[in-house]
């Protein structure tokens, strides 16, 4: 597969040693300016409005200037600074973000997630920090199972349904190196994005990409899936117009719209889980913070066991897990 991000204007500035963070070559020559000029530019753009943290994120992600480095530059305003992206281009991106609410991650073309640098475009959701907990939660529950079993064994086959950028698939592939995964999405452009990220991270050999609808796409593997994770659309349809413009107007509706009650995709996933998962297989879902009770009721009504809710780091009930008998 080839990868094309139609809105990516620039990608620069690795933030980790992971292969996925290797930047594309900058289309601009490196520009050397005094720190005082950079700081004056930053002060000018802050007066335009927007979140100061967002401007500093752009400066780090596209300009390679970390926030800690900014503190040092204030003490040494004559120190030279090398920028892989000129201030004029950074300002153009910032103004586009302010005027049209385009997410900065789409403008820069990537974002940090766990220890990866994930390439993102308008075909996929921007990975959220709270979704990182899906990986940690799944690993913790798998370890519980190993401890409880008299013959602890390694997991061999898992699936990430609705993979989008492929972030969850990458996290699982890295954490479970002896396993193989299936990354599923109904959107061809999303699968292209996931393919690019898996290749960049060196994890493509551990994951097969499958186009299709939730569990139906992996019907050939029903009964053998030991772990399934999903971050499905869960926003109620009538709530979508009230979302922030950056989300409502730019992130893919397919990955946001959860139907009239926000549970359409979750209902389908849970309904097929008992026959698709292996015996004792684990299901881990992300859901909206106010959907704890209906999601638990759905899990229980379909005969799944050990149905639990889990909080995110802010104390919201955002995740659910269950196993097949």
């Amino acid at each position: 597969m080839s990868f094309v991000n139609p809105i990516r204007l620039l990608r620069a500035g690795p933030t980790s040693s992971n292969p996925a963070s290797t930047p594309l070559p900058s289309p601009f020559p490196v520009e050397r300016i005094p720190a005082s000029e950079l700081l004056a530019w930053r002060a000018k753009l802050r007066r335009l409005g927007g979140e100061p943290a967002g401007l500093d994120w752009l400066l780090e992600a596209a300009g390679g200037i970390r926030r800690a480095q900014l503190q040092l530059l204030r003490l040494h305003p004559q120190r030279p600074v090398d920028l892989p992206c000129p201030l004029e281009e950074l300002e153009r991106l910032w103004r586009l973000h302010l005027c049209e609410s385009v997410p900065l991650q789409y403008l820069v073309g990537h974002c940090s997630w766990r220890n990866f640098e994930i390439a993102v475009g308008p075909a996929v959701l921007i990975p959220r920090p709270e979704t990182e907990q899906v990986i940690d939660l799944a690993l913790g529950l798998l370890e519980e199972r190993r401890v409880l079993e008299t013959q602890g064994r390694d997991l061999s086959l898992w699936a990430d349904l609705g993979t989008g950028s492929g972030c969850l698939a990458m996290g699982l592939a890295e954490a479970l190196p002896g396993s193989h995964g299936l990354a599923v999405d109904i959107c061809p452009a999303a699968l292209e994005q996931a393919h690019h990220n898996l290749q960049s991270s060196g994890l493509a050999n551990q994951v097969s990409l499958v186009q299709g609808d939730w569990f139906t796409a992996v019907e050939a593997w029903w009964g053998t899936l030991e772990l399934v994770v999903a971050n499905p659309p869960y926003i109620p349809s009538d709530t979508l117009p009230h979302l922030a413009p950056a989300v409502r107007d730019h992130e893919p509706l397919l990955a946001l719209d959860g139907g009239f009650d926000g549970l359409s995709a979750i209902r389908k996933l849970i309904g097929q889980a008992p026959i698709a998962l292996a015996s004792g297989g684990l299901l881990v879902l992300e859901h909206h913070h106010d959907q704890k009770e209906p999601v638990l009721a759905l899990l229980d009504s379909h005969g799944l066991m050990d149905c639990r809710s889990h909080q995110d780091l802010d104390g919201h009930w955002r995740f659910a897990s269950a196993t097949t008998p």
Side-chain angles (χ1 to χ4, degrees):
M1 292 181 181
S2 61
F3 168 71
V4 177
N5 182 345
I7 204 169
R8 181 178 55 77
L9 305 178
L10 172 71
R11 184 180 178 220
T15 58
S16 79
S17 59
N18 189 284
S21 66
T22 303
L24 296 177
S26 171
F28 306 103
V30 173
E31 181 181 73
R32 174 164 287 190
I33 62 173
S36 58
E37 182 178 339
L38 173 66
L39 295 172
W41 172 90
R42 178 175 175 268
K44 180 187 75 171
L45 262 64
R46 287 187 65 168
R47 290 194 292 270
L48 295 177
E51 291 291 333
L55 179 59
D56 288 347
W57 184 92
L58 176 63
L59 190 56
E60 178 175 338
I65 306 297
R66 297 180 182 275
R67 298 180 192 188
Q69 189 178 353
L70 281 172
Q71 302 297 327
L72 292 175
L73 294 180
R74 292 190 183 95
L75 300 176
H76 305 280
Q78 298 309 311
R79 178 176 292 179
V81 178
D82 290 332
L83 291 175
C85 179
L87 294 181
E88 292 80 3
E89 176 65 8
L90 291 172
E91 182 169 340
R92 187 180 72 84
L93 296 178
W94 183 245
R95 289 179 180 274
L96 186 58
H97 168 66
L98 293 181
C99 294
E100 301 184 20
S101 300
V102 183
L104 290 171
Q105 294 90 336
Y106 287 167
L107 292 173
V108 176
H110 67 95
C111 66
S112 298
W113 192 84
R114 292 182 77 84
N115 62 318
F116 297 106
E117 200 67 18
I118 307 285
V120 292
V124 300
L125 285 180
I126 297 164
R128 268 60 172 181
E130 56 266 25
T131 302
E132 297 184 24
Q133 292 179 248
V134 172
I135 303 294
D136 300 323
L137 179 58
L139 295 176
L141 292 169
L142 288 173
E143 184 59 27
E144 277 187 24
R145 187 178 75 176
R146 285 175 57 87
V147 170
L148 292 172
E149 288 178 349
T150 55
Q151 297 179 340
R153 58 187 177 83
D154 292 328
L155 176 142
S156 59
L157 183 64
W158 51 266
D160 169 24
L161 304 185
T163 193
S165 66
C167 61
L168 285 176
M170 293 165 66
L172 287 176
E174 181 188 51
L176 302 168
S179 68
H180 191 80
L182 306 171
V184 176
D185 208 289
I186 199 169
C187 174
L191 286 178
E192 294 243 349
Q193 189 87 71
H195 173 76
H196 170 81
N197 283 321
L198 286 162
Q199 289 280 11
S200 299
S201 64
L203 297 167
N205 290 338
Q206 287 179 244
V207 183
S208 299
L209 298 171
V210 184
Q211 185 179 352
D213 186 47
W214 307 119
F215 275 116
T216 304
V218 293
E219 189 170 359
W221 293 273
W222 280 13
T224 63
L225 298 168
E226 298 171 83
L227 167 66
V228 169
V229 299
N231 179 19
Y234 51 68
I235 305 297
S237 299
D238 60 4
T239 302
L240 293 171
H242 306 290
L243 296 177
V247 178
R248 180 193 65 214
D249 299 338
H250 297 284
E251 297 201 64
L253 181 65
L254 185 65
L256 295 169
D257 191 350
F260 77 97
D261 61 354
L263 296 171
S264 295
I266 291 174
R267 197 174 283 111
K268 182 179 290 187
L269 281 164
I270 293 175
Q272 292 180 315
I275 55 174
L277 286 167
S279 175
L282 173 64
L283 176 67
V284 179
L285 298 172
E286 182 172 336
H287 57 73
H288 202 254
H289 63 82
D290 61 357
Q291 294 172 337
K292 169 186 173 182
E293 298 303 331
V295 170
L296 283 178
L298 282 168
L299 292 168
D300 184 67
S301 68
H302 284 85
L304 292 163
M305 301 180 64
D306 195 20
C307 305
R308 304 191 218 173
S309 288
H310 308 269
Q311 292 177 308
D312 63 18
L313 295 179
D314 292 324
H316 301 303
W317 296 100
R318 190 172 294 278
F319 312 103
S321 66
T323 61
T324 50

